[in-house]
Amino acid sequence: WAMQRVTAVYIALFLIYFLGAMLFAAPADYDAWKGWLAHPLMSIAALLFFVALLVHAWIGVRDIFIDYLWQPAVRMTALAVVALVLVACGLWAAEILILARI
């Protein structure tokens, strides 16, 4: 419960910052985007955002599956599929952040 709330707060704060930055000082082209994302503070903030988003999604989906999928085999299969999708999304986000730093 606490982790769900903590990740929700970080996601909300990051999105407020991101939307404000896009509204008032949006990068003009790809190189500007890459430079903005490559800044150490922005890279760390974005990495924490993606981790928080994935943890938040996992907890929410897990709780829904526990509440509504009563058969253990179906629940475990569904959780395994969601876990694989979230790991793939996490690896994709890491690739984006790594490539922005190169």
Side-chain angles (χ1 to χ4, degrees):
W1 179 85
M3 186 60 76
Q4 188 81 0
R5 300 311 183 259
V6 169
T7 57
V9 168
Y10 185 79
I11 291 167
L13 292 175
F14 182 85
L15 287 177
I16 290 169
Y17 164 74
F18 182 78
L19 292 174
M22 293 302 103
L23 187 62
F24 296 112
D29 58 4
Y30 176 76
D31 290 329
W33 270 99
K34 189 174 176 181
W36 183 67
L37 194 56
H39 188 275
L41 289 177
M42 188 58 208
S43 291
I44 292 169
L47 177 65
L48 289 175
F49 170 76
F50 286 121
V51 169
L53 187 65
L54 294 172
V55 168
H56 189 84
W58 171 253
I59 293 170
V61 171
R62 184 200 65 194
D63 289 350
I64 290 169
F65 286 175
I66 288 171
D67 288 344
Y68 295 105
L69 296 178
W70 296 308
Q71 298 157 334
V74 173
R75 182 186 306 154
M76 292 308 292
T77 302
L79 287 172
V81 169
V82 170
L84 288 173
V85 169
L86 291 177
V87 166
C89 288
L91 292 173
W92 187 25
E95 178 186 18
I96 291 168
L97 293 175
I98 290 168
L99 291 177
R101 305 263 328 194
I102 294 177

